[in-house]
Every structure is written in C-alpha cells, then in structure tokens.
Amino acid sequence: MNKRERQNMIVNAIHHNKQITAAELANNLKVSKRTILRDIQDLEDQGVKILAKHGKLGGYQLQESQHNYAIELTESQLSALFLVLNESQSISTLPYKEEISAIIKKCLNLPYSKMRKTLKRLDRYIKFEQHEHVALPSLFSDLLIYCTERNVMSMEYFDEEQLFTENVIFIGLICENGLWKAVVFEIGLGSTSEIPIANIQDIAYSFEKKIKTQDISIKNYREFLNPTEV
C-alpha cells in the first residue's frame, strides 16, 4: 500500500465511521500512530477539512465546510500584526512560511479602503531583508502533540555530529533568541535537557510503560536539569 492509497483509506474510514481515533486508524491500517498523524497533516495541507476532537470520546471527523474565524482588531493592532508577520518572514525558522504569506496577502486585500491603504503604505515603504536560514523540520507541529500526550518516545538526534537515540518524554518547547529547543525528560538519566529542534532527525512511539512526569512543566523544568541521584 502506497502513501496515496493509505490516505484515501484514512479519509474513507473517517467518513464511514463519523468519528475515529488515530490509534484506531493505525491499528486498522497496520501502521504507526505517527504515520497516521503525518498523513492527516498532509491531507489537511491538501485542503481536506478534518476536525479533531480531544478527550475520551474524541476522534477525527470530516468537516462539511471550511470554518473561518473572525477577529476584531483595531487599526493599530492590525498594523502591528501586519508588521510582525512581515518581519517573521525574514527571521523566523518556523515551518509556516506559506501560511504567513497567505495572511499577509489577505491583509493587503481587505475590503476596508482606509485600512487597506494604511497596510499598503507600510508594505511600500518598509523593506524586510530576506536572510537564508534553515527552516525547522515539519515534525515541529507533531512536537506540540507529543508534549501534551506525555508518552515515552524514541528520539533520534544529532549532538556534535554524532547520532544518538534516547527514550524521552516531551515536556514542552522553548525559544531563546530565535533558536527553538525541545525540553525533554531523558528516562535513562532521570533528568531534563534541551535539544535544538533542528538537530532532531526522527521520533517514534516507544514502549507502553508510563513514566510520571506531571510535576515537570515548561515553567520549572530547569529544576530537573541535573541527573537524579540513585
């Protein structure tokens, strides 16, 4: 079964079941849950509207129509947002370049003539230099899911040009001076560490064992940076 066939089966399964979980899809198609999450992300990028509900009764559903969200902003707030989005195009490593470009384009085509003229003036007289930078890998979006799940994950990452594999639990994400890092609890060491996201090569679900890490958060993880004494 190739990727396209699998994705068609995912859409059909969601359609016929009305609501189905990633674990159920993975079991039915004999692939990993992570593969399902990647396929769903790919389908959404292709325009398939998939609604995800969390909780015990959660699962995936197909949206009948596209949901648009209205945000009320003042003129100064919209101008600030427009400038921040433009600035991010030249300095951000986040993998959302196409989405940001689409938002900027919508801003420049607002139906309100006064606001549209204001933004076009900003676009005309302010230039953001483009810099070459390495964009974060597409698994960035997956990391947000792993942080909430707190499951044991097998992570492959580079450290000083050597490839390592560790069983970890993702605690959260941190951005320092434009450098994004994943905060993880390394099970073998019994401590937390910061791993540059750009260094992460692959992540997969590991063994079923649950490790209690609820007392560790993105706010206090520095308290757990030193290995636990046995």
Side-chain angles (χ1 to χ4, degrees), residues 78 105-113 115-116 119-120:
L78 185 54
K105 185 176 180 180
K106 287 184 178 181
C107 288
L108 292 172
N109 288 283
L110 285 171
Y112 310 106
S113 58
M115 194 67 245
R116 185 172 66 250
L119 297 182
K120 286 190 174 182

Side-chain angles (χ1 to χ4, degrees), residues 67-147:
H67 286 205
N68 293 317
Y69 301 93
I71 302 176
E72 294 185 2
L73 300 174
T74 65
E75 183 174 332
S76 60
Q77 289 172 339
L78 185 54
S79 296
L81 176 62
F82 180 78
L83 289 174
V84 169
L85 289 172
N86 270 287
E87 182 186 42
S88 72
Q89 292 286 70
S90 63
I91 64 175
S92 177
T93 59
L94 291 172
Y96 302 118
K97 187 172 183 178
E98 292 183 3
E99 290 83 353
I100 292 174
S101 295
I103 297 172
I104 291 173
K105 185 176 180 180
K106 287 184 178 181
C107 288
L108 292 172
N109 288 283
L110 285 171
Y112 310 106
S113 58
K114 181 184 177 182
M115 194 67 245
R116 185 172 66 250
K117 288 180 180 179
T118 298
L119 297 182
K120 286 190 174 182
R121 193 180 304 120
L122 294 175
D123 189 55
R124 182 179 304 158
Y125 294 108
I126 298 178
K127 179 183 179 182
F128 295 94
E129 293 289 350
Q130 297 293 321
H131 296 282
E132 292 295 328
H133 54 257
V134 179
L136 292 172
S138 58
L139 57 76
F140 179 87
S141 299
D142 295 340
L143 290 174
L144 297 175
I145 298 174
Y146 301 148
C147 290

Side-chain angles (χ1 to χ4, degrees), residues 42-227:
D42 191 31
L43 286 166
E44 289 182 324
D45 292 342
Q46 295 174 44
V48 180
K49 304 305 175 184
I50 299 176
L51 177 65
K53 290 187 176 181
H54 300 285
K56 292 183 178 180
L57 301 178
Y60 291 106
Q61 294 177 322
L62 291 180
Q63 292 182 208
E64 297 300 328
S65 59
Q66 182 175 356
H67 286 205
N68 293 317
Y69 301 93
I71 302 176
E72 294 185 2
L73 300 174
T74 65
E75 183 174 332
S76 60
Q77 289 172 339
L78 185 54
S79 296
L81 176 62
F82 180 78
L83 289 174
V84 169
L85 289 172
N86 270 287
E87 182 186 42
S88 72
Q89 292 286 70
S90 63
I91 64 175
S92 177
T93 59
L94 291 172
Y96 302 118
K97 187 172 183 178
E98 292 183 3
E99 290 83 353
I100 292 174
S101 295
I103 297 172
I104 291 173
K105 185 176 180 180
K106 287 184 178 181
C107 288
L108 292 172
N109 288 283
L110 285 171
Y112 310 106
S113 58
K114 181 184 177 182
M115 194 67 245
R116 185 172 66 250
K117 288 180 180 179
T118 298
L119 297 182
K120 286 190 174 182
R121 193 180 304 120
L122 294 175
D123 189 55
R124 182 179 304 158
Y125 294 108
I126 298 178
K127 179 183 179 182
F128 295 94
E129 293 289 350
Q130 297 293 321
H131 296 282
E132 292 295 328
H133 54 257
V134 179
L136 292 172
S138 58
L139 57 76
F140 179 87
S141 299
D142 295 340
L143 290 174
L144 297 175
I145 298 174
Y146 301 148
C147 290
T148 60
E149 290 180 339
R150 292 292 181 101
N151 288 323
V152 178
M153 312 295 294
S154 176
M155 178 182 69
E156 292 184 0
Y157 67 100
F158 278 107
D159 185 13
E160 297 183 353
E161 298 185 355
Q162 287 189 316
L163 184 64
F164 295 89
T165 301
E166 299 287 348
N167 283 320
V168 303
I169 294 175
F170 285 91
I171 303 300
L173 307 179
I174 186 172
C175 184
E176 295 178 329
N177 298 320
L179 176 63
W180 281 89
K181 301 177 182 177
V183 176
V184 301
F185 179 81
E186 294 192 48
I187 296 173
L189 294 177
S191 63
T192 57
S193 61
E194 301 172 355
I195 306 295
I197 293 178
N199 291 0
I200 299 176
Q201 299 301 298
D202 195 20
I203 307 170
Y205 286 93
S206 190
F207 52 88
E208 296 292 334
K209 184 179 180 181
K210 295 289 183 179
I211 307 294
K212 292 184 179 181
T213 57
Q214 298 306 318
D215 55 331
I216 306 176
S217 71
I218 198 65
K219 305 293 185 183
N220 69 0
Y221 77 92
R222 294 183 185 277
E223 301 174 15
F224 302 86
L225 286 174
N226 294 321

